[in-house]
């Protein structure tokens, strides 16, 4: 949150000033045939969003509210707005310092821009520090990919499926059912991942719009059904926002 606040001020609320530009980029207005890169702008967006719809805006919100109360919602909204500036910086650095290989494939991310960017600023010492940070970033990404992302999401999906199909007494509620579900999901994910970023982007560009559409529609239905309670809910969120546990819970969930 602190980084997002700094970047928001440094770049003059770039998440608001350049919102129209961001929409145009995603719409493909600036796509160029033959330009470097393996995916277009829209596919890059859906690949990034695919890891947050469900894990972040559903499970994360539920955990934060359960720990910090309704006031945590206020801080999650604020963290999201400020986090847009942080993401802007990350993506800009990723594109600036990426490597385009002769076969057209691209390598990028913190593993590349940390040593290169710090070397540009501080020379050899910066590059050495960047290499250490790059290794740490890689380890953290791997840890989150295995435990924070895949294991958490698969477990969440399995629990929901068991609940819908008959609870613990159903066929899927057994250890064999859990093993089958895990192996099936691992196989499907493996098929997509082995195809590289192009395969991932092709899948997410089809699934993510549907996921996001269903999520938004479901939220609107819940709000409309309980529209009379909305003013009171907003008041409760604002009142509870300044309780210490609310901000801590929101930051933990994000």
């Amino acid at each position: 949150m602190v980084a997002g606040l700094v970047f928001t001020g440094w770049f003059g609320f770039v998440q608001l000033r350049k919102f129209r530009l961001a929409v145009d980029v995603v719409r493909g207005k600036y796509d160029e045939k033959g330009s470097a890169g393996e995916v277009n702008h829209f596919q890059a967006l859906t690949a990034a969003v695919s890891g947050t719809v469900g894990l972040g805006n559903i499970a994360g919100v539920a955990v934060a509210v359960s720990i910090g109360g309704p006031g945590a919602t206020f801080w999650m909204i604020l963290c999201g707005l400020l986090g847009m500036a942080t993401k802007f910086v990350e993506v800009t650095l990723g594109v600036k310092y990426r490597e385009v290989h002769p076969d057209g494939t691209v390598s990028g991310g913190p593993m590349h821009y940390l040593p290169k960017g710090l070397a540009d600023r501080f020379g050899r010492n910066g590059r050495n520090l960047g290499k250490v940070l790059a290794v740490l970033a890689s380890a953290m990404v791997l840890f989150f990919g295995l435990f924070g992302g895949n294991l958490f999401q698969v477990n969440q999906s399995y629990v929901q499926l068991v609940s819908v199909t008959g609870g613990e007494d159903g066929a899927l509620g057994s250890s064999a059912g859990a093993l089958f579900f895990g192996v099936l999901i691992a196989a499907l994910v493996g098929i997509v991942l082995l195809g590289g970023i192009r395969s991932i982007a092709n899948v997410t560009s089809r699934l993510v719009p549907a996921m996001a559409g269903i999520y938004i529609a479901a939220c609107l239905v819940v709000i409309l059904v309980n529209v009379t309670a909305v003013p009171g809910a907003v008041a409760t969120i604002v009142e509870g926002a300044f309780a210490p546990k609310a901000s801590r819970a929101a930051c933990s969930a994000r």
Side-chain angles (χ1 to χ4, degrees):
M1 187 171 177
V2 174
L5 184 61
V6 171
F7 293 140
T8 296
W10 186 274
F11 293 103
F13 290 88
V14 65
Q15 61 267 60
L16 301 179
R17 290 191 301 105
K18 298 298 183 179
F19 185 80
R20 177 62 183 274
L21 174 62
V23 174
D24 288 339
V25 169
V26 173
R27 288 175 53 219
K29 183 176 180 179
Y30 299 98
D31 288 353
E32 297 179 1
K33 291 184 177 180
S35 59
E38 298 180 73
V39 298
N40 59 39
H41 295 101
F42 179 73
Q43 290 176 325
L45 173 67
T46 58
V49 172
S50 64
T52 59
V53 174
L55 179 61
N57 61 343
I58 298 177
V61 170
V63 171
V65 172
S66 65
I67 296 174
T73 306
F74 174 85
W75 295 105
M76 283 188 287
I77 294 173
L78 184 60
C79 286
L81 291 174
L82 296 177
M84 293 169 68
T86 304
K87 180 59 68 175
F88 165 77
V89 172
E90 291 177 355
V91 173
T92 300
L93 290 172
V95 172
K96 179 178 181 180
Y97 292 107
R98 66 181 180 174
E99 293 184 7
V100 181
H101 305 293
D103 61 355
T105 58
V106 179
S107 299
M111 295 71 70
H112 288 264
Y113 67 67
L114 281 171
K116 292 180 180 179
L118 289 174
D120 288 346
R121 285 281 184 175
F122 305 108
R124 182 177 179 180
N125 291 334
R127 179 178 292 276
N128 292 335
L129 174 61
K131 289 180 178 179
V132 174
L133 294 177
V135 172
L136 293 175
S138 301
M140 292 178 185
V141 169
L142 180 61
F143 179 83
F144 176 79
L146 291 175
F147 300 100
N150 292 329
L151 291 181
F152 187 85
Q153 287 186 319
V154 172
N155 179 71
Q156 187 182 41
S157 300
Y158 173 71
V159 170
Q160 292 296 322
L161 186 60
V162 169
S163 177
V164 171
T165 57
E168 294 297 332
D169 296 330
L172 283 174
S174 63
S175 58
L179 179 60
F180 172 77
F181 183 83
V183 171
L184 176 62
I185 296 299
L188 293 175
V189 172
I191 293 173
V192 175
L193 294 181
L194 290 175
I197 185 60
R198 291 181 180 177
S199 174
I200 296 172
N202 285 332
V203 173
T204 58
S205 64
R206 291 170 172 79
L207 291 181
V208 169
M211 292 166 54
I214 294 172
Y215 173 76
I216 293 172
C219 290
L220 290 176
V221 169
V222 172
I223 292 174
L224 292 175
V225 170
N226 301 277
V227 67
T228 56
V230 171
V234 173
T236 301
I237 290 172
V238 175
E239 290 174 2
F242 299 99
K245 66 177 183 179
S247 58
R248 290 197 299 268
C251 292
S252 299
R254 297 301 295 183

